[in-house]
Amino acid sequence: MVAETSNVIDLQNVRVTFKNSGQELRAVDDVNLQIKQGDIYGIIGYSGAGKSTLVRVINLLQQPSAGQVFVGGQDLRTLTAPQLRHARQQIGMIFQHFNLMKSRTVLGNVEYPLLGKKISQQDRRKRAFSLLQRVGLEEYANTFPERLSGG
């Protein structure tokens, strides 16, 4: 099913429930979120509030207990495993505790996922630098992770 919407990400009534020692814990409770093309969002909140769980739902690294997840108008919950792997290649996310490779610069770390694409080194570098510009980090392109602030 394809959602009739101009939203790139559309979460509808998403809930994620975990069971712990027989107790039910709602990590995400009835979330509706719509993000339009070109918008950049950060999800903030207290530790344990469900931020990472919610972000993981967007590309189905975490299956929701209820609700619908549309990305690019496509209902991710209806995809086969190979289709979902392909869809995930089009979804870019940065988690709070991401792993940077210490031997690569910031630009090199951003370039890394593009190594599997059939594009030239020049195009890959240009694309990665464009992404850094988009989030205001281009001045750190040649900086190694050990020189960056944790914040």
Side-chain angles (χ1 to χ4, degrees):
M1 178 178 172
V2 176
E4 305 263 340
T5 179
S6 64
N7 298 316
V8 168
I9 297 172
D10 188 1
L11 303 182
Q12 300 175 4
N13 305 311
V14 168
R15 179 182 314 131
V16 178
T17 305
F18 296 109
K19 292 199 190 274
N20 184 13
S21 302
Q23 297 274 58
E24 187 175 276
L25 170 70
R26 283 194 180 175
V28 175
D29 192 13
D30 198 32
V31 170
N32 292 287
L33 174 69
Q34 291 75 41
I35 300 176
K36 296 193 180 324
Q37 177 74 33
D39 288 352
I40 298 173
Y41 279 75
I43 299 174
I44 60 172
Y46 293 107
S47 179
K51 303 176 300 292
S52 294
T53 301
L54 179 62
V55 170
R56 290 172 55 84
V57 165
I58 294 171
N59 61 10
L60 290 193
L61 289 173
Q62 173 64 55
Q63 285 282 341
S65 306
Q68 292 180 290
V69 179
F70 293 94
V71 176
Q74 192 170 36
D75 185 349
L76 296 187
R77 295 190 77 190
T78 65
L79 301 180
T80 64
Q83 290 171 326
L84 182 57
R85 279 192 300 277
H86 178 73
R88 283 179 178 148
Q89 291 177 352
Q90 308 305 310
I91 302 170
M93 300 181 154
I94 301 172
F95 291 92
Q96 179 179 1
H97 296 289
F98 52 89
N99 294 319
L100 293 175
M101 290 174 273
K102 294 177 183 177
S103 62
R104 291 181 173 265
T105 63
V106 170
L107 183 62
N109 272 278
V110 175
E111 274 185 284
Y112 189 76
L114 301 173
L115 290 174
K117 303 275 185 192
K118 294 182 180 178
I119 58 176
S120 70
Q121 180 182 2
Q122 182 180 358
D123 287 344
R124 184 176 61 242
R125 190 158 286 246
K126 183 177 177 182
R127 190 169 172 187
F129 191 77
S130 172
L131 291 170
L132 288 176
Q133 287 177 310
R134 187 171 190 178
V135 295
L137 294 175
E138 66 273 14
E139 68 185 272
Y140 299 104
N142 296 314
T143 305
F144 285 90
E146 67 188 23
R147 304 280 304 155
L148 299 172
S149 161

